[in-house]
């Protein structure tokens, strides 16, 4: 989150890395590289620390993966500042949105797999991506953003390599691996849900989110997806995180996953009104209001769930000491 806020301050509209713009200071890239690696390391050891201190609970799992789901859009946004949206060597906003969808789909598939098999398989691509991001940030600090705009042999750009890696990992590794794991569980008779309808319930809300946000982005009369790109990404990422957190709770409690997230009907209404031109110039303000609503609602949901789980397990959220212990 700190990386996101730092880069949002210096590069709110994702154009600072363009050739004719004032670039982000080098020390910011050093800081973001260190912070990203630190966050990745802590994310990898928190479970081990919980087991070492005998404090592992479903609340910790929700904290871990719930925050990871929100971080998906933050990672994409921070890396985007390296390549910029401007110029013929930048990444167009529409392409960035597709890349965000792929990252969200990767996270979703892992947890849909657990919803059906009871086992969370974490793809190695996450580790590679986080290490790569840290290296890219540090490299940018010393060599400048111009490095990533230089052409490789055969006229290939670094942005093309970046895009190919994300799409390739998703199509060649993530999807086949998830399908394979579900197939193995099916053959072993350990699937938690027998019908296709029940098994695919967690996919309904993410697919609707992608469909609705894509329509709004493409057909917006005010072009809010491009003129307010950072806010649009934040909104999509926050709604997704709320969907993911509810799926995680369903996994932990072995309950039926909610098919339709309650943040989606308002999005559908806004998309309908917007694409028909009925919002007029109020469309950007509508995006701002909706973004504020989903952010507050998601925070409220998270706080309430944490409070309820803390009471249920008789634990203190940020302490190893139990309430009734001395």
């Amino acid at each position: 989150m700190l990386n996101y806020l730092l880069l949002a301050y210096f590069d709110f509209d994702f154009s600072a890395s363009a050739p004719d713009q004032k670039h982000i200071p080098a020390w910011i890239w050093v800081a973001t590289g260190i912070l990203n690696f630190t966050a990745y390391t802590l994310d990898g050891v928190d479970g081990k620390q919980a087991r070492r201190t005998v404090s592992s609970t479903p609340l910790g799992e929700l904290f871990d993966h719930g925050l990871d789901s929100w971080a998906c859009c933050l990672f994409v946004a921070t890396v985007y500042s390296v390549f910029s949206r401007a110029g013929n060597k930048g990444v167009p906003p529409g392409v960035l949105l597709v890349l965000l969808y792929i990252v969200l789909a990767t996270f979703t598939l892992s947890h849909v797999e657990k919803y059906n098999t009871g086992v969370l398989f974490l793809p190695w691509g996450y580790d590679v991506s986080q290490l790569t991001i840290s290296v890219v940030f540090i490299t940018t600090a010393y060599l400048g953003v111009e490095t990533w705009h230089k052409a490789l042999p055969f006229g290939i750009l670094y942005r093309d390599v970046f895009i190919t890696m994300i799409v390739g990992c998703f199509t060649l590794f993530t999807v086949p691996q998830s399908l394979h794991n579900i197939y193995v569980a099916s053959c072993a008779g350990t699937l938690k849900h027998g019908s296709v309808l029940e098994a695919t319930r967690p996919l309904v809300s993410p697919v609707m989110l992608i469909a609705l946000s894509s329509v709004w982005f493409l057909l917006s009369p005010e072009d809010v997806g491009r003129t307010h790109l950072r806010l649009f990404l934040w909104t999509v990422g926050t709604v997704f995180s709320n969907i993911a957190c509810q799926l995680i709770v369903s996994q932990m409690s072995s309950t039926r996953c909610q098919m339709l997230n309650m943040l989606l009907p308002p999005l559908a209404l806004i998309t309908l009104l917007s694409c028909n031109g009925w919002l007029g110039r109020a469309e950007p303000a509508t995006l701002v209001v909706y973004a504020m609503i989903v952010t507050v609602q998601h925070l409220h949901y998270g706080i309430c769930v944490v409070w309820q789980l803390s009471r249920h397990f008789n634990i203190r959220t940020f302490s190893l000491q139990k309430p009734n212990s001395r």
Side-chain angles (χ1 to χ4, degrees), residues 58 95 100 149 179 197 201 208 213-214 219 225 246 248 250 266 300 313 318:
V95 175
L100 174 62
H149 296 159
L179 293 177
L197 179 61
R201 281 180 68 91
M208 287 187 63
S213 57
S214 296
L219 302 182
Q246 294 189 30
I248 293 169
S250 296
H300 177 265
F313 291 106
F318 299 107

Side-chain angles (χ1 to χ4, degrees), residues 54-306:
V54 197
S55 58
S56 180
T57 65
L59 177 58
E61 180 181 355
L62 177 62
F63 251 115
D64 187 1
H65 300 299
L67 292 175
D68 285 346
S69 68
W70 210 352
C72 287
C73 70
L74 306 184
F75 288 140
V76 174
T78 53
V79 175
Y80 193 38
S81 287
V82 174
F83 296 95
S84 174
R85 65 186 294 178
N88 57 1
K89 295 182 179 180
V91 179
V95 175
L96 175 71
L97 188 61
V98 172
L99 296 179
L100 174 62
Y101 290 155
I102 292 176
V103 173
L104 301 185
T106 300
F107 188 94
T108 300
L109 285 179
S110 294
H111 287 274
V112 169
E113 181 184 329
K114 183 180 180 182
Y115 180 76
N116 285 282
T117 65
V119 178
L120 179 63
F121 178 82
L122 296 176
W124 56 264
Y126 171 75
D127 301 282
V128 174
S129 66
Q130 292 306 302
L131 291 173
T132 301
I133 290 173
S134 298
V135 171
V136 166
F137 286 160
I138 297 297
T139 302
T140 303
Y142 287 96
L143 300 181
V145 293
E146 298 84 2
T147 300
W148 310 112
H149 296 159
K150 295 178 181 178
L152 296 169
F154 307 106
I156 299 174
L157 299 175
Y158 281 102
R159 70 157 188 210
D160 302 325
V161 176
F162 173 71
I163 294 171
T164 302
M165 286 177 59
I166 293 179
V167 176
C169 286
F170 178 72
T171 55
L172 298 178
F173 297 102
T174 301
V175 174
Q177 184 67 61
S178 291
L179 293 177
H180 172 74
N181 291 341
I182 293 175
Y183 173 75
V184 170
S186 176
C187 293
T190 58
L191 279 181
K192 301 177 69 175
H193 305 283
S195 69
V196 175
L197 179 61
E198 286 299 321
T200 56
R201 281 180 68 91
L203 293 174
V204 175
S205 286
V207 169
M208 287 187 63
L209 171 62
I210 291 174
L212 290 171
S213 57
S214 296
V215 171
W216 192 7
F217 181 88
L218 293 172
L219 302 182
S220 167
E222 295 291 320
D223 205 13
V224 294
R226 293 179 176 84
T227 57
H228 297 73
L229 180 58
R230 185 174 290 274
L231 186 60
F232 194 88
L233 296 176
W234 171 270
T235 304
V236 172
T238 303
V239 175
F240 170 78
S241 182
N242 190 259
I243 295 171
C245 285
Q246 294 189 30
L247 172 58
I248 293 169
V249 171
S250 296
Q251 295 169 1
M252 295 189 305
S253 57
S254 296
T255 56
R256 198 181 193 196
C257 175
Q258 183 182 34
M259 182 173 287
L260 178 65
N261 185 278
M262 290 299 100
L263 294 177
L264 293 176
L267 177 60
L269 177 61
I270 292 172
T271 302
L272 175 65
L273 296 176
S274 170
C275 295
N276 283 280
W278 295 334
L279 292 178
R281 294 186 177 180
E283 186 183 358
T286 304
L287 172 61
V288 173
V289 172
Y290 181 65
M292 293 173 62
I293 291 174
V294 299
T295 301
V296 171
Q297 194 280 336
H298 186 43
L299 289 172
H300 177 265
Y301 171 80
I303 292 171
C304 288
V305 170
V306 169

